[in-house]
Amino acid sequence: MRQLGLAAAIREGIIQEMRADQSVILMGEDVGKFGGAFHVTHDMLDEFGAERVWDTPISEAGFTGLGIGAALTGMRAIVEYQYLDFIFCAMDQVVNQAAKIHLMSGGRAKVPLVLRGPQGATGRGAQHSQSIEAYFMHTPGMKVVLPSTPYDAKGLIISAIRDDNPVLFVEHKLLYGAASPGGGKALSDTAIQAIGMDVPEEPYAIPLGSADIKRAGDDVTIIATLLMLHRALAVADQLSNEGISVEVIDPRSLVPLDVETIAASIAKTNRVVVVSEDTSRAGVAAELVATINDHCFYDLEAPVQRVAAGDTPIPFAPAAERHVIPQVEDIRAAAQRVLSD
Amino acid sequence: MTTEIEIRRQPVDCAGQDAELLLRMFRKMLEAREFEEQLYYLFLTTAMPGTMHQAVGQEAVAVGVVSALNPDDTITSTHRGHAHCVAKDVPLDEMMAEMFAKREGSCRGMGGSMHLTDFSKGMLGAFAIVGSGIPIATGAALSARVRNSGQVAVSFFGDGAVNEGTFHEALNMAALWNLPAIYIIENNQYALSMTVAESSALPDLAARACAYNMPGVRVDGNDALAVYEATRAAVERARAGEGPTLIEALTYRIRGHARFEAAGYRPAEEVDAWKNADPIERLAAGMIAAGIASEDQLNQIRGEAERAIEEAIAYAETCSEVAAEDYLAYITAEE
Ligand SMILES: Cc1ncc(C[n+]2csc(CCOP(=O)(O)OP(=O)(O)O)c2C)c(N)n1
Ligand SMILES: [Mg+2]
């Protein structure tokens, strides 16, 4: 099978859906002529034309609203944010409008909308580094999807496009591969410098709400998404040399969350570490800890360990950024803590 | 409306103008140019952190505008902000140290290229969310009114930023309340890959001012003196309590959007034509034509500017590394 990187896999998923379904349209800054700041939409303008691929002005609130309006009236709209940090410019449209329209209309209106773009800390300072998914997990009416591999990315983007709800589709800059700013250096402690992997050519959908066990193990469960999933796998490798068997779970979507797969793993390992690149306080990991306590409390032999970014805007200096963002050694230390508790 | 922009190559008309002002603007433009050219080289040859956006070719806008301000007037800047800072007298050493992510940097290594800030110089910050500095500068203008300080506040932003809602909301309030604000659209004709005509229904951006009932002025942004004069008129208006002005300065981004971005969406002839309209060379030619300075004098200033940047780099190299936990002191402001 041919190998694809993450950006190419997302691109292929979008193209196949656009070929199959004339109602799918795409909009965002520099997505057409330029092919997207991270090349995800490369050549789509040529194939689908300017009626389906819209190069927008820098108007996030506006074009998000356009996406919603189009979605309400028969389109399936994919809206790209050049960096997910900029979705905050469109908070009203996403949070007050897109997420609430279905309920407010008593189920009459549907908003099949994909909001996608890259996030993650790559040395760009506080306004280009955030991990934003928790804001939208906190927004009922939306789904939140996070692919960590090219295979998952293609199957999940296809499901996101086919879904009848607003879906936040979170990509990580460092997982795009060689094209990503910051490049290989930040990945030197993971196995993903070359992130290409086998991706089937035909379209396939991975259901939202289906977690994937990326590595099976018995002694401790680590739950992680995006870049952190790869750091967790690196920890699993390290610990296996010491005779410790780690199970690594990738939720793939946080809303809906596959609690069953997580609970089954914890019933086996009785020890769990949750990892996320977003801010610790009121963040993804905090929510996962609470969910695990709700569902798995009597299976736990030690308090759940939470590893997440420091409660700070992300500082520019590389040493400081590194201190804020969870590293392999932080995840490893948490696994060792939960094993020795 | 005109979308065709005339490329002016003629020397700046310096006859009878203030020699000190012209020479100072020349020096500042050279410093801004050299700062970014050396930075570009450092990014190519060393492990510089982060990224940067060059304003090469646009220096007359930053320098012309700031030359019409008092030291305590305030500005906001953008992702493409080095020249604004140089013009506003932010120390070159501290700017360079920030690029190196050093403790002695303007922002203690916490901000980087896209967030340069120096309150001691009235530089309120560089905001890398497009359009977000516009209301913030407007707030500084409101504050100047409330404090009765006589200051004016200037917001620099790009042609792309005028399509953010913040532009509309801020300009309306500024005009409604006659705030001492000046809005500088640095129209370098591209927002990443998008031309003005591809992103603005009305490509004459200065004309938008009429929607806010404020003056809108279009000026040759590669003529430092013309920019200076347009700004001076706006400053007078603002200080007299007559309200804000919108200035569109026409210029060109000679380099790619960001470090190493190849800008393949632009015709080579267009880039070449603008290279021949260089704002520094136009000012130099104007000063020589008007007998304000000799070629030797200008070369001496060129040498001084180069040395100032060399010294800034040497300084930054000796500064101390940011410690991993430095940021903990800056999360919230506490007594
Ligand atoms: C809200 C927001 N949207 C998108 C971006 C990404 N971005 C950074 S600069 C830029 C182009 C800005 O164009 P313009 O305002 O003309 O400024 P220039 O880069 O030409 O100086 C874009 C799209 C951003 N930083 N912030
Ligand atoms: Mg521009």
mmCIF file of all heavy atoms in Angstrom, chain A residues 24-58:
data_model
loop_
_atom_site.group_PDB
_atom_site.id
_atom_site.type_symbol
_atom_site.label_atom_id
_atom_site.label_comp_id
_atom_site.label_asym_id
_atom_site.label_seq_id
_atom_site.Cartn_x
_atom_site.Cartn_y
_atom_site.Cartn_z
ATOM 1 N N VAL A 24 -20.621 19.321 -0.798
ATOM 2 C CA VAL A 24 -19.491 19.655 0.076
ATOM 3 C C VAL A 24 -18.728 20.843 -0.507
ATOM 4 O O VAL A 24 -18.308 20.815 -1.668
ATOM 5 C CB VAL A 24 -18.543 18.452 0.250
ATOM 6 C CG1 VAL A 24 -17.374 18.831 1.166
ATOM 7 C CG2 VAL A 24 -19.292 17.247 0.810
ATOM 8 N N ILE A 25 -18.589 21.890 0.298
ATOM 9 C CA ILE A 25 -17.807 23.067 -0.109
ATOM 10 C C ILE A 25 -16.747 23.364 0.949
ATOM 11 O O ILE A 25 -16.829 22.876 2.068
ATOM 12 C CB ILE A 25 -18.692 24.320 -0.324
ATOM 13 C CG1 ILE A 25 -19.405 24.682 0.982
ATOM 14 C CG2 ILE A 25 -19.673 24.096 -1.459
ATOM 15 C CD1 ILE A 25 -20.067 26.049 0.954
ATOM 16 N N LEU A 26 -15.756 24.172 0.532
ATOM 17 C CA LEU A 26 -14.604 24.423 1.392
ATOM 18 C C LEU A 26 -14.359 25.925 1.420
ATOM 19 O O LEU A 26 -14.437 26.584 0.382
ATOM 20 C CB LEU A 26 -13.411 23.708 0.759
ATOM 21 C CG LEU A 26 -12.056 23.809 1.408
ATOM 22 C CD1 LEU A 26 -12.011 22.890 2.620
ATOM 23 C CD2 LEU A 26 -10.980 23.390 0.422
ATOM 24 N N MET A 27 -14.044 26.467 2.581
ATOM 25 C CA MET A 27 -13.652 27.874 2.624
ATOM 26 C C MET A 27 -12.607 28.153 3.684
ATOM 27 O O MET A 27 -12.467 27.408 4.644
ATOM 28 C CB MET A 27 -14.870 28.788 2.798
ATOM 29 C CG MET A 27 -15.784 28.464 3.939
ATOM 30 S SD MET A 27 -17.079 29.730 4.082
ATOM 31 C CE MET A 27 -17.966 29.442 2.579
ATOM 32 N N GLY A 28 -11.849 29.224 3.468
ATOM 33 C CA GLY A 28 -10.835 29.613 4.436
ATOM 34 C C GLY A 28 -9.793 30.497 3.779
ATOM 35 O O GLY A 28 -9.842 30.745 2.570
ATOM 36 N N GLU A 29 -8.840 30.956 4.592
ATOM 37 C CA GLU A 29 -7.820 31.884 4.100
ATOM 38 C C GLU A 29 -6.735 31.132 3.331
ATOM 39 O O GLU A 29 -6.167 30.165 3.847
ATOM 40 C CB GLU A 29 -7.194 32.628 5.285
ATOM 41 C CG GLU A 29 -8.186 33.593 5.917
ATOM 42 C CD GLU A 29 -7.890 33.887 7.378
ATOM 43 O OE1 GLU A 29 -6.777 33.616 7.852
ATOM 44 O OE2 GLU A 29 -8.809 34.391 8.051
ATOM 45 N N ASP A 30 -6.466 31.565 2.112
ATOM 46 C CA ASP A 30 -5.397 31.001 1.282
ATOM 47 C C ASP A 30 -5.604 29.514 0.985
ATOM 48 O O ASP A 30 -4.645 28.798 0.722
ATOM 49 C CB ASP A 30 -4.028 31.209 1.952
ATOM 50 C CG ASP A 30 -3.773 32.676 2.312
ATOM 51 O OD1 ASP A 30 -3.519 33.470 1.383
ATOM 52 O OD2 ASP A 30 -3.836 33.044 3.499
ATOM 53 N N VAL A 31 -6.842 29.030 1.022
ATOM 54 C CA VAL A 31 -7.068 27.607 0.778
ATOM 55 C C VAL A 31 -7.104 27.267 -0.715
ATOM 56 O O VAL A 31 -6.896 26.112 -1.092
ATOM 57 C CB VAL A 31 -8.378 27.085 1.430
ATOM 58 C CG1 VAL A 31 -8.338 27.228 2.937
ATOM 59 C CG2 VAL A 31 -9.606 27.785 0.845
ATOM 60 N N GLY A 32 -7.355 28.273 -1.547
ATOM 61 C CA GLY A 32 -7.528 27.989 -2.972
ATOM 62 C C GLY A 32 -6.243 28.110 -3.759
ATOM 63 O O GLY A 32 -5.467 27.173 -3.872
ATOM 64 N N LYS A 33 -6.021 29.307 -4.278
ATOM 65 C CA LYS A 33 -4.857 29.586 -5.117
ATOM 66 C C LYS A 33 -3.555 29.097 -4.469
ATOM 67 O O LYS A 33 -2.682 28.526 -5.114
ATOM 68 C CB LYS A 33 -4.827 31.115 -5.289
ATOM 69 C CG LYS A 33 -3.879 31.658 -6.282
ATOM 70 C CD LYS A 33 -4.066 33.188 -6.405
ATOM 71 C CE LYS A 33 -3.660 33.930 -5.134
ATOM 72 N NZ LYS A 33 -3.530 35.387 -5.309
ATOM 73 N N PHE A 34 -3.428 29.312 -3.185
ATOM 74 C CA PHE A 34 -2.197 29.000 -2.455
ATOM 75 C C PHE A 34 -2.167 27.548 -1.988
ATOM 76 O O PHE A 34 -1.110 26.999 -1.684
ATOM 77 C CB PHE A 34 -2.093 29.950 -1.257
ATOM 78 C CG PHE A 34 -0.770 29.938 -0.541
ATOM 79 C CD1 PHE A 34 0.405 30.269 -1.204
ATOM 80 C CD2 PHE A 34 -0.694 29.613 0.809
ATOM 81 C CE1 PHE A 34 1.630 30.282 -0.530
ATOM 82 C CE2 PHE A 34 0.522 29.628 1.491
ATOM 83 C CZ PHE A 34 1.685 29.964 0.814
ATOM 84 N N GLY A 35 -3.311 26.925 -1.860
ATOM 85 C CA GLY A 35 -3.365 25.523 -1.457
ATOM 86 C C GLY A 35 -3.295 25.293 0.039
ATOM 87 O O GLY A 35 -3.082 24.166 0.483
ATOM 88 N N GLY A 36 -3.499 26.358 0.804
ATOM 89 C CA GLY A 36 -3.513 26.203 2.263
ATOM 90 C C GLY A 36 -2.133 26.417 2.856
ATOM 91 O O GLY A 36 -1.135 25.974 2.297
ATOM 92 N N ALA A 37 -2.096 27.082 4.007
ATOM 93 C CA ALA A 37 -0.812 27.405 4.641
ATOM 94 C C ALA A 37 -0.021 26.133 4.963
ATOM 95 O O ALA A 37 1.200 26.158 5.007
ATOM 96 C CB ALA A 37 -1.038 28.234 5.899
ATOM 97 N N PHE A 38 -0.722 25.037 5.177
ATOM 98 C CA PHE A 38 -0.033 23.767 5.464
ATOM 99 C C PHE A 38 -0.295 22.734 4.363
ATOM 100 O O PHE A 38 -0.171 21.549 4.575
ATOM 101 C CB PHE A 38 -0.447 23.243 6.841
ATOM 102 C CG PHE A 38 0.043 24.116 7.972
ATOM 103 C CD1 PHE A 38 -0.707 25.210 8.393
ATOM 104 C CD2 PHE A 38 1.259 23.869 8.586
ATOM 105 C CE1 PHE A 38 -0.249 26.030 9.428
ATOM 106 C CE2 PHE A 38 1.728 24.678 9.618
ATOM 107 C CZ PHE A 38 0.974 25.761 10.034
ATOM 108 N N HIS A 39 -0.716 23.221 3.205
ATOM 109 C CA HIS A 39 -0.852 22.413 1.990
ATOM 110 C C HIS A 39 -1.968 21.372 2.021
ATOM 111 O O HIS A 39 -2.020 20.492 1.165
ATOM 112 C CB HIS A 39 0.466 21.715 1.632
ATOM 113 C CG HIS A 39 1.658 22.604 1.757
ATOM 114 N ND1 HIS A 39 1.773 23.775 1.062
ATOM 115 C CD2 HIS A 39 2.770 22.509 2.536
ATOM 116 C CE1 HIS A 39 2.915 24.370 1.391
ATOM 117 N NE2 HIS A 39 3.535 23.640 2.286
ATOM 118 N N VAL A 40 -2.861 21.448 2.999
ATOM 119 C CA VAL A 40 -3.911 20.437 3.083
ATOM 120 C C VAL A 40 -4.869 20.541 1.892
ATOM 121 O O VAL A 40 -5.399 19.538 1.427
ATOM 122 C CB VAL A 40 -4.672 20.553 4.425
ATOM 123 C CG1 VAL A 40 -5.875 19.620 4.459
ATOM 124 C CG2 VAL A 40 -3.733 20.243 5.591
ATOM 125 N N THR A 41 -5.071 21.759 1.390
ATOM 126 C CA THR A 41 -6.065 21.942 0.326
ATOM 127 C C THR A 41 -5.414 22.118 -1.053
ATOM 128 O O THR A 41 -6.063 22.599 -1.992
ATOM 129 C CB THR A 41 -6.964 23.157 0.635
ATOM 130 O OG1 THR A 41 -6.136 24.325 0.759
ATOM 131 C CG2 THR A 41 -7.706 22.958 1.941
ATOM 132 N N HIS A 42 -4.179 21.713 -1.153
ATOM 133 C CA HIS A 42 -3.407 21.825 -2.390
ATOM 134 C C HIS A 42 -4.192 21.329 -3.613
ATOM 135 O O HIS A 42 -4.745 20.227 -3.591
ATOM 136 C CB HIS A 42 -2.135 20.993 -2.198
ATOM 137 C CG HIS A 42 -1.189 21.052 -3.346
ATOM 138 N ND1 HIS A 42 -0.531 22.199 -3.707
ATOM 139 C CD2 HIS A 42 -0.800 20.096 -4.214
ATOM 140 C CE1 HIS A 42 0.228 21.947 -4.754
ATOM 141 N NE2 HIS A 42 0.083 20.684 -5.087
ATOM 142 N N ASP A 43 -4.255 22.163 -4.649
ATOM 143 C CA ASP A 43 -4.869 21.796 -5.937
ATOM 144 C C ASP A 43 -6.383 21.588 -5.912
ATOM 145 O O ASP A 43 -6.972 21.201 -6.926
ATOM 146 C CB ASP A 43 -4.238 20.512 -6.505
ATOM 147 C CG ASP A 43 -2.974 20.823 -7.291
ATOM 148 O OD1 ASP A 43 -2.692 22.020 -7.511
ATOM 149 O OD2 ASP A 43 -2.270 19.870 -7.673
ATOM 150 N N MET A 44 -7.023 21.814 -4.787
ATOM 151 C CA MET A 44 -8.474 21.590 -4.760
ATOM 152 C C MET A 44 -9.212 22.620 -5.603
ATOM 153 O O MET A 44 -10.224 22.313 -6.225
ATOM 154 C CB MET A 44 -8.999 21.607 -3.320
ATOM 155 C CG MET A 44 -8.544 20.395 -2.525
ATOM 156 S SD MET A 44 -9.417 20.304 -0.963
ATOM 157 C CE MET A 44 -8.373 19.109 -0.111
ATOM 158 N N LEU A 45 -8.689 23.850 -5.633
ATOM 159 C CA LEU A 45 -9.325 24.888 -6.452
ATOM 160 C C LEU A 45 -9.349 24.449 -7.912
ATOM 161 O O LEU A 45 -10.362 24.583 -8.603
ATOM 162 C CB LEU A 45 -8.573 26.218 -6.292
ATOM 163 C CG LEU A 45 -9.094 27.387 -7.127
ATOM 164 C CD1 LEU A 45 -10.527 27.758 -6.739
ATOM 165 C CD2 LEU A 45 -8.183 28.612 -6.974
ATOM 166 N N ASP A 46 -8.232 23.893 -8.388
ATOM 167 C CA ASP A 46 -8.157 23.445 -9.783
ATOM 168 C C ASP A 46 -9.211 22.385 -10.063
ATOM 169 O O ASP A 46 -9.870 22.398 -11.094
ATOM 170 C CB ASP A 46 -6.772 22.845 -10.080
ATOM 171 C CG ASP A 46 -5.734 23.940 -10.252
ATOM 172 O OD1 ASP A 46 -6.131 25.115 -10.377
ATOM 173 O OD2 ASP A 46 -4.527 23.611 -10.237
ATOM 174 N N GLU A 47 -9.335 21.438 -9.154
ATOM 175 C CA GLU A 47 -10.287 20.353 -9.430
ATOM 176 C C GLU A 47 -11.744 20.769 -9.246
ATOM 177 O O GLU A 47 -12.589 20.410 -10.055
ATOM 178 C CB GLU A 47 -9.995 19.125 -8.542
ATOM 179 C CG GLU A 47 -11.061 18.051 -8.771
ATOM 180 C CD GLU A 47 -10.763 16.690 -8.189
ATOM 181 O OE1 GLU A 47 -9.652 16.487 -7.656
ATOM 182 O OE2 GLU A 47 -11.659 15.822 -8.283
ATOM 183 N N PHE A 48 -12.034 21.547 -8.208
ATOM 184 C CA PHE A 48 -13.440 21.782 -7.869
ATOM 185 C C PHE A 48 -13.946 23.175 -8.236
ATOM 186 O O PHE A 48 -15.152 23.419 -8.210
ATOM 187 C CB PHE A 48 -13.679 21.500 -6.379
ATOM 188 C CG PHE A 48 -13.361 20.078 -6.006
ATOM 189 C CD1 PHE A 48 -12.222 19.778 -5.272
ATOM 190 C CD2 PHE A 48 -14.180 19.035 -6.423
ATOM 191 C CE1 PHE A 48 -11.920 18.464 -4.944
ATOM 192 C CE2 PHE A 48 -13.885 17.716 -6.106
ATOM 193 C CZ PHE A 48 -12.738 17.423 -5.369
ATOM 194 N N GLY A 49 -13.016 24.082 -8.534
ATOM 195 C CA GLY A 49 -13.446 25.403 -8.989
ATOM 196 C C GLY A 49 -13.826 26.337 -7.842
ATOM 197 O O GLY A 49 -14.031 25.918 -6.700
ATOM 198 N N ALA A 50 -13.950 27.597 -8.216
ATOM 199 C CA ALA A 50 -14.142 28.647 -7.220
ATOM 200 C C ALA A 50 -15.549 28.659 -6.623
ATOM 201 O O ALA A 50 -15.799 29.340 -5.639
ATOM 202 C CB ALA A 50 -13.828 30.016 -7.832
ATOM 203 N N GLU A 51 -16.482 27.904 -7.194
ATOM 204 C CA GLU A 51 -17.816 27.821 -6.591
ATOM 205 C C GLU A 51 -17.842 26.860 -5.411
ATOM 206 O O GLU A 51 -18.791 26.840 -4.636
ATOM 207 C CB GLU A 51 -18.849 27.351 -7.631
ATOM 208 C CG GLU A 51 -19.121 28.365 -8.718
ATOM 209 C CD GLU A 51 -19.841 29.609 -8.185
ATOM 210 O OE1 GLU A 51 -20.923 29.444 -7.606
ATOM 211 O OE2 GLU A 51 -19.303 30.715 -8.356
ATOM 212 N N ARG A 52 -16.807 26.033 -5.314
ATOM 213 C CA ARG A 52 -16.792 25.076 -4.195
ATOM 214 C C ARG A 52 -15.585 25.262 -3.295
ATOM 215 O O ARG A 52 -15.564 24.729 -2.183
ATOM 216 C CB ARG A 52 -16.846 23.640 -4.741
ATOM 217 C CG ARG A 52 -18.171 23.365 -5.457
ATOM 218 C CD ARG A 52 -18.253 21.930 -5.943
ATOM 219 N NE ARG A 52 -18.362 20.991 -4.841
ATOM 220 C CZ ARG A 52 -18.115 19.695 -4.953
ATOM 221 N NH1 ARG A 52 -17.725 19.194 -6.118
ATOM 222 N NH2 ARG A 52 -18.239 18.897 -3.926
ATOM 223 N N VAL A 53 -14.584 25.987 -3.755
ATOM 224 C CA VAL A 53 -13.393 26.254 -2.937
ATOM 225 C C VAL A 53 -13.253 27.771 -2.838
ATOM 226 O O VAL A 53 -12.907 28.439 -3.813
ATOM 227 C CB VAL A 53 -12.132 25.632 -3.559
ATOM 228 C CG1 VAL A 53 -10.893 25.981 -2.745
ATOM 229 C CG2 VAL A 53 -12.291 24.108 -3.674
ATOM 230 N N TRP A 54 -13.535 28.305 -1.672
ATOM 231 C CA TRP A 54 -13.640 29.757 -1.501
ATOM 232 C C TRP A 54 -12.428 30.292 -0.759
ATOM 233 O O TRP A 54 -12.209 29.973 0.398
ATOM 234 C CB TRP A 54 -14.922 30.104 -0.735
ATOM 235 C CG TRP A 54 -16.162 29.777 -1.512
ATOM 236 C CD1 TRP A 54 -16.785 28.564 -1.583
ATOM 237 C CD2 TRP A 54 -16.910 30.662 -2.343
ATOM 238 N NE1 TRP A 54 -17.888 28.637 -2.407
ATOM 239 C CE2 TRP A 54 -17.990 29.920 -2.883
ATOM 240 C CE3 TRP A 54 -16.792 32.002 -2.687
ATOM 241 C CZ2 TRP A 54 -18.932 30.484 -3.750
ATOM 242 C CZ3 TRP A 54 -17.731 32.567 -3.531
ATOM 243 C CH2 TRP A 54 -18.788 31.813 -4.059
ATOM 244 N N ASP A 55 -11.655 31.132 -1.459
ATOM 245 C CA ASP A 55 -10.544 31.858 -0.845
ATOM 246 C C ASP A 55 -11.131 33.071 -0.129
ATOM 247 O O ASP A 55 -11.540 34.031 -0.783
ATOM 248 C CB ASP A 55 -9.590 32.357 -1.946
ATOM 249 C CG ASP A 55 -8.332 31.506 -2.048
ATOM 250 O OD1 ASP A 55 -7.876 30.974 -1.014
ATOM 251 O OD2 ASP A 55 -7.800 31.386 -3.171
ATOM 252 N N THR A 56 -11.151 33.042 1.173
ATOM 253 C CA THR A 56 -11.835 34.124 1.903
ATOM 254 C C THR A 56 -10.885 35.257 2.261
ATOM 255 O O THR A 56 -9.676 35.062 2.353
ATOM 256 C CB THR A 56 -12.416 33.604 3.235
ATOM 257 O OG1 THR A 56 -11.323 33.239 4.082
ATOM 258 C CG2 THR A 56 -13.323 32.419 3.033
ATOM 259 N N PRO A 57 -11.442 36.442 2.499
ATOM 260 C CA PRO A 57 -10.667 37.482 3.186
ATOM 261 C C PRO A 57 -10.366 37.027 4.628
ATOM 262 O O PRO A 57 -10.875 35.988 5.067
ATOM 263 C CB PRO A 57 -11.615 38.686 3.196
ATOM 264 C CG PRO A 57 -12.709 38.369 2.240
ATOM 265 C CD PRO A 57 -12.805 36.880 2.168
ATOM 266 N N ILE A 58 -9.560 37.812 5.330
ATOM 267 C CA ILE A 58 -9.253 37.487 6.730
ATOM 268 C C ILE A 58 -10.429 37.958 7.582
ATOM 269 O O ILE A 58 -10.454 39.067 8.077
ATOM 270 C CB ILE A 58 -7.932 38.134 7.172
ATOM 271 C CG1 ILE A 58 -6.823 37.804 6.158
ATOM 272 C CG2 ILE A 58 -7.529 37.638 8.560
ATOM 273 C CD1 ILE A 58 -5.507 38.502 6.441
#
